[in-house]
Amino acid sequence: DTGVSQNPRHKITKRGQNVTFRCDPISEHNRLYWYRQTLGQGPEFLTYFQNEAQLEKSRLLSDRFSAERPKGSFSTLEIQRTEQGDSAMYLCASSSQGVGNSPLHFGNGTRLTVT
Amino acid sequence: AQSVTQLDSQVPVFEEAPVELRCNYSSSVSVYLFWYVQYPNQGLQLLLKYLSGSTLVKGINGFEAEFNKSQTSFHLRKPSVHISDTAEYFCAVSPTNTGNQFYFGTGTSLTVIP
């Protein structure tokens, strides 16, 4: 168990640019989640996958955000035309299927700064 | 709908003193309950979880929490804190009927004073 891996750890970009983050979950976990965390707040749910299927998206997720998990393993989160308000820590988490008895395992996050 | 309230945003406590971090929740269905800890520039790490059974659950690093259904609370306690316990602590709930969604509180920043 190597844990959940996220890359890059930090990303600084100019407003209007596109960015893409990657998440590699724990290998046997079939559920993968993306959360956003701003300073002084708890994680806010963005979206979640079961295997390759994106089953739920938050209303917070604007059309500029898209996530994929093409083969049910790693996932990418893309933000198009970034805005300063997108600056946050983006957390990925994974869990195994099993109603409620599998807690989330988090990566160390990608910190995005939009200048 | 579910919501989680952590009443204390910051808790300073002296080293070796006891601490309690409060968590209350609201839910129209029964929930599983979790406490996570976050150290600076890291992701969240599971401290403990309540799924069923005994209402007193023990976790890592000497922490424990007690589920109180009537008060819809899940307070986190430690009898004697260490400097290394300085971190952000998050309470979370997950509905038992789905188990695929987690709702987090806004966190409590614990600072242990030497």
Side-chain angles (χ1 to χ4, degrees):
Chain A
D1 179 357
T2 57
V4 177
S5 176
Q6 291 189 248
N7 288 289
R9 287 298 308 275
H10 304 274
K11 179 70 176 178
I12 300 173
T13 190
K14 292 184 177 179
R15 189 166 51 115
Q17 297 295 306
N18 299 342
V19 295
T20 300
F21 310 141
R22 176 179 171 126
C23 172
D24 288 88
I26 293 171
S27 57
E28 60 267 27
H29 286 180
N30 60 348
R31 290 180 175 173
L32 186 148
Y33 299 75
W34 285 99
Y35 283 84
R36 178 171 62 192
Q37 186 180 25
T38 53
L39 197 62
Q41 298 296 317
E44 291 180 296
F45 170 76
L46 294 179
T47 188
Y48 116 90
F49 293 83
Q50 183 157 306
N51 300 312
E52 66 276 9
Q54 187 174 20
L55 296 188
E56 193 171 342
K57 289 174 62 173
S58 167
R59 286 169 292 177
L60 298 173
L61 211 61
S62 78
D63 291 343
R64 297 184 296 105
F65 287 69
S66 62
E68 294 183 343
R69 195 183 183 197
K71 297 182 179 179
S73 56
F74 74 92
S75 175
T76 57
L77 177 69
E78 181 183 15
I79 308 174
Q80 296 182 328
R81 305 181 302 282
T82 52
E83 302 173 356
Q84 287 187 322
D86 296 331
S87 295
M89 174 79 89
Y90 289 84
L91 295 168
C92 177
S94 68
S95 72
S96 56
Q97 188 169 355
V99 179
N101 57 6
S102 177
L104 297 176
H105 297 257
F106 283 87
N108 285 329
T110 293
R111 182 169 295 283
L112 173 66
T113 302
V114 181
T115 62
Chain B
Q2 289 75 31
S3 67
V4 179
T5 302
Q6 293 183 244
L7 295 167
D8 307 303
S9 59
Q10 296 184 357
V11 173
V13 62
F14 286 104
E15 192 174 14
E16 298 184 5
V19 69
E20 178 179 84
L21 306 183
R22 295 182 292 169
C23 173
N24 288 86
Y25 68 93
S26 172
S27 177
S28 54
V29 299
S30 59
V31 295
Y32 301 114
L33 297 137
F34 306 84
W35 274 99
Y36 284 85
V37 60
Q38 185 176 34
Y39 299 102
N41 297 315
Q42 294 188 23
L44 282 71
Q45 178 184 358
L46 181 70
L47 270 179
L48 48 78
K49 61 184 178 183
Y50 173 78
L51 303 180
S52 64
S54 172
T55 56
L56 182 65
V57 292
K58 295 188 184 298
I60 62 171
N61 301 341
F63 283 93
E64 63 181 32
E66 185 157 20
F67 170 52
N68 187 317
K69 187 174 182 179
S70 62
Q71 296 185 3
T72 60
S73 69
F74 190 54
H75 300 331
L76 182 70
R77 302 185 183 101
K78 185 169 182 177
S80 175
V81 295
H82 301 293
I83 296 290
S84 60
D85 293 324
T86 294
E88 193 83 16
Y89 291 80
F90 294 94
C91 182
V93 301
S94 178
T96 60
N97 58 348
T98 58
N100 59 3
Q101 188 52 278
F102 295 78
Y103 301 88
F104 288 84
T106 53
T108 297
S109 178
L110 173 65
T111 301
V112 180
I113 305 164

